[in-house]
Amino acid sequence: YAEVRCGLLDQHGNLWFGTTDEGVYRYDRNGFTQYNVPDGLSSNTVWSILEDRRGRIWFGTDSGLCRWDGTRIRRVPLAPVSDGSMPGTPSTQEAFIGQAAVWSLLEDSSVTIWIGAGEGVLCFKDDAVSPFLANPNVQNPSGLHLKMVDDMLEDRQGNIWFASGMPPGMEGLCRFDGTSIRPFNPGGAKWIRAVKEDSRGGLWVGTRGDGLWHFDG
């Protein structure tokens, strides 16, 4: 049986479900509709779903990124990304992630789409994709690589939070304040599954094996 790994309620009231092995299901007033590889998905395993401000639905699969424009699903090409050890310079571990897993998706207040791919975080804006850590304006004193990010969040102050996932991730909870990025390890936890912000601005951090943590700022 396929597992449901992610879900979304879109602005039209439709429900979307991303599964392992069975693609995407959309539920509307007429019932369920299934979309899979013959319909444009790059893979039938979908890890993440996002609706952007234009109403487009993005699907992060285990083999790249796809987007529903209201009529059909199309693949979104991704660019090469460095591992971040030398920002802006290709490394020996550089990988073309066009077919890599996309674990998480976020649209921030500047209408940038953040893509948490297996080989690192990408930014999609104005139809161009760029590796986040290759940006020379990003200070990265801890040498983070942001691989396998399970979840992302923009808080009310505009900080971007990254929930670092399974190996080779394991960097804990990381925060980008617009200038620099730094890691947090609540209780020593390095594998973070989810991060959410509550109505008071507090962060709730779900870990794998180290319980639930609250960050009050």
Side-chain angles (χ1 to χ4, degrees), residues 201-216:
L203 296 185
W204 294 87
V205 183
T207 74
R208 185 182 188 275
D210 291 287
L212 178 68
W213 293 79
H214 180 256
F215 179 63
D216 62 8

Side-chain angles (χ1 to χ4, degrees), residues 58 108-113 115 123-130:
W58 300 68
D108 69 15
S109 55
S110 70
V111 201
T112 296
I113 303 291
I115 303 162
C123 294
F124 184 98
K125 189 175 180 65
D126 299 326
D127 293 324
V129 180
S130 60

Side-chain angles (χ1 to χ4, degrees), residues 51-67:
E51 182 180 24
D52 66 21
R53 286 168 174 77
R54 295 170 57 180
R56 300 175 300 180
I57 311 294
W58 300 68
F59 306 107
T61 79
D62 71 351
S63 184
L65 182 65
C66 303
R67 186 174 64 206

Side-chain angles (χ1 to χ4, degrees), residues 53 105-112 114 151-162 176 195-197 203:
R53 286 168 174 77
L105 293 164
L106 167 72
E107 184 181 36
D108 69 15
S109 55
S110 70
V111 201
T112 296
W114 295 75
D151 196 13
M152 295 182 286
L153 167 76
E154 181 183 25
D155 68 22
R156 60 184 60 192
Q157 280 78 42
N159 301 305
I160 305 294
W161 295 84
F162 305 95
F176 176 58
V195 54
K196 305 298 178 187
E197 185 177 28
L203 296 185

Side-chain angles (χ1 to χ4, degrees), residues 16-90:
W16 297 81
F17 302 98
T19 74
T20 58
D21 299 327
E22 293 184 4
V24 173
Y25 288 90
R26 183 185 67 185
Y27 180 77
D28 58 24
R29 65 185 64 185
N30 297 315
F32 283 98
T33 303
Q34 182 183 16
Y35 302 92
N36 48 35
V37 169
D39 302 302
L41 281 176
S42 55
S43 168
N44 286 334
T45 294
V46 178
W47 299 119
S48 53
I49 304 179
L50 168 75
E51 182 180 24
D52 66 21
R53 286 168 174 77
R54 295 170 57 180
R56 300 175 300 180
I57 311 294
W58 300 68
F59 306 107
T61 79
D62 71 351
S63 184
L65 182 65
C66 303
R67 186 174 64 206
W68 165 264
D69 61 9
T71 303
R72 59 177 294 186
I73 297 173
R74 303 173 187 268
R75 297 187 184 189
V76 179
L78 301 177
V81 58
S82 167
D83 65 1
S85 59
M86 297 181 64
T89 303

Side-chain angles (χ1 to χ4, degrees), residues 2 4 10-11 13 15 36 42 52 109 133 159 170 177 184 190 192 195 198 203 216:
V4 175
D10 71 22
Q11 59 185 271
L15 291 168
N36 48 35
S42 55
D52 66 21
S109 55
L133 291 179
N159 301 305
M170 303 294 287
D177 61 8
F184 296 81
K190 293 185 176 181
I192 311 297
V195 54
D198 64 27
L203 296 185
D216 62 8

